[in-house]
């Protein structure tokens, strides 16, 4: 169903990458509650409830707030207060009641955490917390945008020289190199 890309290097960037082809008008991948459920599942974020339309809308708003915040941070600019507020609001859903000690009749004990009120928002909170961790990292890592002219995927550049160009060599790097080769051949 989804055309998910997992090359961001962080869950928050993988969420940002659910809006594909940003350079050419954008292609929305988070369209339906089923699509959000699939993305959460494939991202390894457990949500024991089915998302609704409001969850899809919130996931998109969170995605765009994270993207704007990362772009601002990468440029050395201030992050918009509205984006900070939205990311913080999303992260708060992760806070659940403290663990409870359960003593069984046989005397065995277990630590149990009550389930979150909204499991989908709690799963998205994990993404928001990841974004907060990334945004607060010092020195701020290089968050790059794929250099392939049609892509726009965001990723954390962890290459030794901090000069990675493509989200994936197998996908965009090969396409870019093939395009350059074709252009050189055509010029000769």
């Amino acid at each position: 169903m989804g055309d998910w890309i997992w090359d961001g290097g962080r869950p928050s960037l993988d969420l940002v990458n659910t809006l594909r082809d940003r350079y050419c008008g954008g292609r929305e991948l988070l369209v339906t509650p089923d699509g959000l459920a699939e993305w959460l599942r494939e991202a390894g974020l457990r949500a024991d409830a089915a998302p609704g339309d409001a969850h899809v809308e919130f996931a998109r708003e969170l995605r765009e707030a994270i993207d704007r915040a990362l772009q601002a941070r990468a440029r050395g600019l201030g992050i918009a207060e509205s984006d900070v507020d939205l990311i913080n609001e999303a992260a708060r859903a992760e806070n659940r009641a403290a663990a409870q000690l359960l003593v069984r009749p046989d005397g065995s004990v277990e630590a149990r955490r009550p389930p979150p009120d909204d499991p989908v928002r709690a799963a998205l909170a994990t993404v928001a917390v990841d974004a907060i961790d990334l945004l607060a990292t010092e020195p701020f890592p290089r968050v790059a945008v794929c250099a392939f002219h049609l892509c726009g995927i965001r990723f954390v550049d962890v290459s030794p020289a901090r000069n990675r160009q493509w989200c994936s060599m197998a996908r965009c790097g090969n396409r870019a190199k093939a395009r350059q080769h074709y252009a050189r051949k055509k010029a000769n």
Side-chain angles (χ1 to χ4, degrees):
M1 184 169 164
D3 192 12
W4 315 120
I5 296 290
W6 305 105
D7 293 329
R10 302 285 297 247
S12 54
L13 290 174
D14 291 335
L15 178 64
V16 167
N17 292 333
T18 62
L19 180 60
R20 298 285 302 282
D21 307 326
R22 287 178 185 261
Y23 290 144
C24 357
R27 180 168 49 104
E28 181 63 68
L29 299 181
L30 292 179
V31 178
T32 65
D34 287 344
L36 176 57
E38 179 184 335
W39 185 85
L40 290 170
R41 187 175 49 257
E42 290 188 24
L45 302 170
R46 186 174 174 177
D48 295 331
D53 290 332
H55 291 115
V56 174
E57 184 61 31
F58 184 75
R60 289 182 195 160
E61 290 171 6
L62 176 61
R63 174 191 67 204
E64 295 309 308
I66 291 169
D67 189 45
R68 287 188 300 269
L70 288 168
Q71 288 182 42
R73 182 83 164 87
R75 292 184 178 113
L77 305 173
I79 301 170
E81 188 176 332
S82 59
D83 291 334
V84 170
D85 290 345
L86 182 65
I87 293 167
N88 285 337
E89 174 193 341
R92 278 191 291 275
E94 187 177 64
N95 290 337
R96 297 185 279 163
Q100 304 282 314
L101 186 61
L102 175 67
V103 180
R104 295 190 184 98
D106 67 0
S108 63
V109 294
E110 172 186 346
R112 183 176 284 176
R113 287 194 179 271
D117 293 335
D118 186 337
V120 175
R121 288 288 292 259
L124 290 170
T126 303
V127 175
V129 169
D130 178 68
I132 290 168
D133 290 343
L134 178 59
L135 288 162
T137 298
E138 290 295 343
F140 187 64
R142 180 172 176 254
V143 177
V145 178
C146 182
F148 188 65
H149 73 290
L150 297 176
C151 183
I153 294 293
R154 276 82 164 135
F155 59 90
V156 175
D157 180 2
V158 294
S159 66
R162 294 177 50 104
N163 63 354
R164 183 173 148 197
Q165 295 182 45
W166 299 292
C167 61
S168 164
M169 187 61 188
R171 188 178 37 260
C172 291
N174 283 342
R175 289 191 296 192
K177 288 182 176 198
R179 184 181 170 137
Q180 290 168 350
H181 175 74
Y182 177 75
R184 280 193 304 270
K185 263 187 111 155
K186 189 175 178 181
N188 290 333

